[in-house]
């Protein structure tokens, strides 16, 4: 499962890395470095490096978005008069915009995969502990109180609520619901 998650993440990151490398090749064609060509060169350089390394903290913020939308904002003010650079910088801006769109589209899935990969071992351990607790409870004819809402849901599902109390053979005149969890779907159903 871990291998499958890693492969899926690699499939999402590979196109981002390729497009970041394409950006750098275009930039190298100008014969200039980040510092010479771009206003806010640190933002551009950091973003391209993050794309190349698959950094999950990569952020295509407003400044980068504005520069991608208007290629003149991408260039240093002193270079804007050099019309020979304009076609290349237009391509760079388009490439930057493409990278931003690709990241925006892939980021939620990449984040989910990162979280799954980070928590896979603890979740496996918790699953093993849960299985052992269930086994021991069944052996000793015990029932975990935390599983009561699940059992209650299975009893009430598709029935009127009084059915449960008829099954118990008890009549209750008053009820007190203590610490009802409004975020619990099971408790809402019950």
């Amino acid at each position: 499962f871990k291998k499958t998650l890693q492969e899926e993440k690699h499939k999402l990151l590979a196109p981002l890395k390729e497009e970041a490398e394409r950006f750098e090749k275009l930039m190298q064609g100008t014969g200039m470095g980040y510092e010479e060509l771009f206003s806010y060169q640190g933002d551009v350089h950091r973003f391209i490096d993050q794309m190349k390394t698959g950094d999950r903290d990569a952020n295509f913020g407003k400044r980068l978005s504005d520069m991608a939308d208007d290629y003149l904002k991408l260039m240093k003010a002193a270079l804007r008069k050099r019309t020979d650079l304009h076609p290349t910088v237009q391509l760079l801006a388009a490439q930057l915009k493409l990278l931003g769109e690709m990241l925006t589209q892939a980021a939620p899935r990449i984040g989910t995969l990162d979280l799954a990969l980070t928590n896979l071992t603890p979740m496996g351990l918790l699953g093993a502990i849960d299985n052992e607790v269930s086994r021991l409870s069944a052996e000793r004819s015990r029932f975990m109180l935390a599983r009561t809402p699940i059992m209650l849901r299975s009893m009430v599902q598709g029935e009127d609520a009084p059915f449960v109390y008829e099954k118990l053979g008890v009549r209750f005149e008053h009820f007190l619901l203590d610490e009802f969890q409004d975020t619990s779907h099971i408790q809402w159903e019950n």
Side-chain angles (χ1 to χ4, degrees), residues 101-130:
E101 290 168 354
M102 289 172 69
L103 176 65
T104 301
Q105 188 176 19
R109 183 95 173 130
I110 292 169
T112 300
L113 290 167
D114 278 340
L115 283 172
L117 286 164
T118 301
N119 295 304
L120 197 57
T121 302
M123 291 303 289
L125 181 60
L126 287 173
I129 292 169
D130 185 54

Side-chain angles (χ1 to χ4, degrees), residues 147-176:
R147 301 215 171 132
T148 305
I150 296 167
M151 180 193 69
L152 188 59
R153 180 179 64 180
S154 69
M155 293 172 75
V156 190
Q157 212 164 23
E159 300 287 339
D160 291 335
F163 168 77
V164 174
Y165 305 107
E166 287 173 24
K167 254 195 144 126
L168 293 172
V170 179
R171 180 179 172 92
F172 292 96
E173 296 293 330
H174 303 284
F175 295 92
L176 171 65

Side-chain angles (χ1 to χ4, degrees), residues 131-150:
N131 288 340
E132 185 64 14
V133 167
S134 295
R135 187 186 68 73
L136 290 171
S137 295
E139 262 180 26
R140 295 181 179 131
S141 298
R142 301 227 169 114
F143 186 77
M144 296 292 291
L145 187 58
R147 301 215 171 132
T148 305
I150 296 167

Side-chain angles (χ1 to χ4, degrees), residues 83-103:
T83 55
D84 60 313
L85 290 174
H86 285 216
T88 305
V89 176
Q90 281 178 316
L91 288 173
L92 286 167
Q95 189 69 20
L96 188 62
K97 185 173 187 145
L98 175 65
L99 267 167
E101 290 168 354
M102 289 172 69
L103 176 65

